[in-house]
Amino acid sequence: MTAFKTDKPIFEMVAYLPTTWTGAMVHGGGAGLNGFLASFIPFWNQTQPLQQGLVYIASNGGNNDPSGRLLLDRETLVDYSYRQIGTTYEFGQQIMKAYYAASPQHNYFMGCSRGGGEAMVAAALYPDNYDGIVAQAPAPEVKAFIARSASQGPLTPLTSDEWNQINTQYINQCDALDGVTDGVVSARQSCTFDPIAWVASQNWTADKQATVRSQYSDLKLSDGTLINQKYGLGPFFDLTSLGQPWLRIAKNDFSWTYDVKTFNLDADYGAISAMVDSVSLDVDPLLLGQFLRKGKKVLVFMGGDDTALSIEATNAYMAKTVALSGGNGANTQTRFFPGVGHCGIPNATTLLGPDSAEMLGALRNWVEKGTAPGAMVATKLNADGTVKATRPLCLVGTYPKYKGSGDVNKAENFTCAADGT
């Protein structure tokens, strides 16, 4: 279905009903400012819900205009934030009862980027509806993401070639730390490459050095308040276009002329924060921790070279969630795909890591059979669908390290070694 513009938001949802139903449902998340129907789970999943005989439901996020214009209406913004999740779930339950004359035995939520954030919203605000979630490259702290996106605007733009020079140096200096040279940095914690120092050594202009420094430094207010942790290395992801509509929404004026050069974090963060808090866009880690307390399961995945979001922020958020889970931190796992970008979006020249895994199957086994994910494997496919390479998909705190012998394209010849070893 193609989104179309109107003066009023139109809520749309979709339900895919398999002929042979295995008794479970997957609620799929959206992306960006929504405004469209997500008809499948993004890129890096080895199987889709229908392939497992599962019902799949999704919505357009409560509005039908991906520009974000309709989110100026606070009720529509509330829909986008969380209410559309509850509505879609309830409608989906009624559809299944009518079509199968039965309710699902298990309900899951799965999504990437904004969809990963929606998965966390579903767990935090509708904890009794879902048995487990897969949050892929999530952004649960929306105000931090908006501030980071808007903060890129005033910076001096770098060319694609300049960003690629930084990424190339990163790979050249840190690729071999995992025991194999293949264009993929796996041992991130052992990598000492400093992009800020490197561009200084190359005598880039002061403005360009400031841009690099901003990307790879924590984002703070002038009084030192931390807003967003530094970004990781990988192919640069321009967030400016995402910052523009959010600032217009925060200022409650979509006709406001956005001049990226005039954005000032200290001056504008208050409006961003007030807008986010007014509709509960940020996901409270306490509530996600309470989801874990109920015995529900949370799997988090992110690309090791994701530069649309901060890996450091994801780690910090999940650490807070575990700390607030009342000793039930074992009900969540976080894993990174080395050499993979945002949501597993493929790039044949700069993102060479194995980029798909059986995430949904791992969650189902955990929920339905009580078997926690153990040695997960990431896979890289050739254009014809055959397997090109596999690699362990290690838990945070470990990385895939080559054993020193055997085919470097087979996961069996790697081990998940502790960071720094």
Side-chain angles (χ1 to χ4, degrees):
M1 243 181 182
T2 302
F4 54 92
K5 295 182 178 181
T6 64
D7 290 331
K8 298 292 184 181
I10 296 175
F11 172 78
E12 297 172 332
M13 71 161 287
V14 64
Y16 290 92
L17 307 171
T19 302
T20 302
W21 186 37
T22 55
M25 179 273 286
V26 175
H27 189 160
L33 296 159
N34 289 25
F36 65 94
L37 282 170
S39 59
F40 65 96
I41 302 292
F43 306 108
W44 52 358
N45 306 283
Q46 287 180 353
T47 59
Q48 293 291 319
L50 287 176
Q51 292 174 286
Q52 298 185 26
L54 308 180
V55 168
Y56 173 78
I57 65 172
S59 82
N60 64 353
N63 77 94
N64 52 297
D65 187 343
S67 74
R69 177 177 58 92
L70 298 177
L71 299 183
L72 283 178
D73 175 72
R74 279 305 185 264
E75 289 300 307
T76 305
L77 190 57
V78 170
D79 287 338
Y80 170 86
S81 176
Y82 62 87
R83 196 159 51 197
Q84 50 90 12
I85 293 173
T87 300
T88 303
Y89 173 87
E90 293 297 339
F91 193 23
Q93 296 296 309
Q94 293 303 315
I95 288 173
M96 286 181 281
K97 286 180 182 178
Y99 191 77
Y100 298 114
S103 296
Q105 296 171 330
H106 298 286
N107 295 294
Y108 304 105
F109 199 112
M110 189 173 189
C112 194
S113 195
R114 171 58 189 165
E118 288 177 331
M120 290 183 168
V121 171
L125 298 186
Y126 303 97
D128 295 329
N129 290 354
Y130 302 92
D131 300 293
I133 66 168
V134 177
Q136 304 159 308
E141 297 172 310
V142 180
K143 68 181 70 165
F145 175 72
I146 295 172
R148 174 68 76 171
S149 301
S151 293
Q152 284 188 353
L155 302 174
T156 298
L158 269 61
T159 66
S160 295
D161 179 65
E162 287 168 331
W163 285 117
N164 287 337
Q165 286 181 48
I166 297 171
N167 193 47
T168 297
Q169 288 298 317
Y170 161 59
I171 293 172
N172 288 346
Q173 293 190 30
C174 301
D175 183 3
L177 294 173
D178 58 5
V180 61
T181 302
D182 58 357
V184 175
V185 176
S186 297
R188 293 177 53 254
Q189 298 302 318
S190 297
C191 176
T192 59
F193 172 66
D194 183 347
I196 298 171
W198 183 80
V199 298
S201 73
Q202 302 302 301
N203 295 318
W204 288 18
T205 67
D207 285 347
K208 289 185 176 182
Q209 289 188 46
T211 295
V212 173
R213 189 163 52 249
S214 176
Q215 179 76 5
Y216 302 118
S217 300
D218 289 345
L219 183 67
K220 298 179 179 180
L221 298 179
S222 59
D223 65 3
T225 301
L226 176 66
I227 302 302
N228 189 223
Q229 287 83 349
K230 65 182 180 180
Y231 270 43
L233 288 147
F236 178 69
F237 198 112
D238 187 352
L239 300 172
T240 306
S241 62
L242 295 173
Q244 294 180 23
W246 276 120
L247 282 178
R248 290 177 176 138
I249 293 166
K251 290 178 179 291
N252 201 33
D253 182 4
F254 218 74
S255 64
W256 171 67
T257 301
Y258 177 83
D259 181 356
V260 294
K261 298 296 184 184
T262 66
F263 175 77
N264 180 281
L265 183 61
D266 284 307
D268 292 322
Y269 184 69
I272 293 171
S273 184
M275 180 270 294
V276 168
D277 290 344
S278 71
V279 293
S280 302
L281 267 169
D282 276 359
V283 182
D284 187 341
L286 174 61
L287 296 180
L288 190 59
Q290 290 175 351
F291 185 76
L292 299 178
R293 288 183 185 222
K294 290 175 175 284
K296 310 297 183 80
K297 312 302 181 186
V298 175
L299 290 179
V300 178
F301 297 92
M302 194 166 179
D305 287 11
D306 189 336
T307 56
L309 298 169
S310 167
I311 288 178
E312 302 292 339
T314 299
N315 275 336
Y317 181 87
M318 291 311 300
K320 284 189 288 187
T321 297
V322 168
L324 294 167
S325 69
N328 290 278
N331 288 327
T332 184
Q333 294 185 359
T334 301
R335 301 173 192 251
F336 293 153
F337 287 74
V340 176
H342 188 60
C343 291
I345 297 172
N347 185 318
T349 57
T350 58
L351 297 168
L352 305 180
D355 52 11
S356 66
E358 186 44 70
M359 304 177 190
L360 179 57
L363 179 64
R364 293 187 66 198
N365 281 335
W366 201 2
V367 169
E368 298 172 26
K369 299 178 182 179
T371 304
M376 293 188 69
V377 173
T379 301
K380 186 82 170 179
L381 299 178
N382 292 306
D384 62 2
T386 57
V387 175
K388 180 177 181 179
T390 58
R391 194 67 53 90
L393 183 54
C394 301
L395 288 165
V396 164
T398 64
Y399 71 98
K401 183 177 183 178
Y402 184 51
K403 294 179 180 179
S405 63
D407 189 343
V408 298
N409 291 315
K410 292 186 177 179
E412 65 198 51
N413 297 315
F414 290 76
T415 186
C416 287
D419 286 345
T421 63

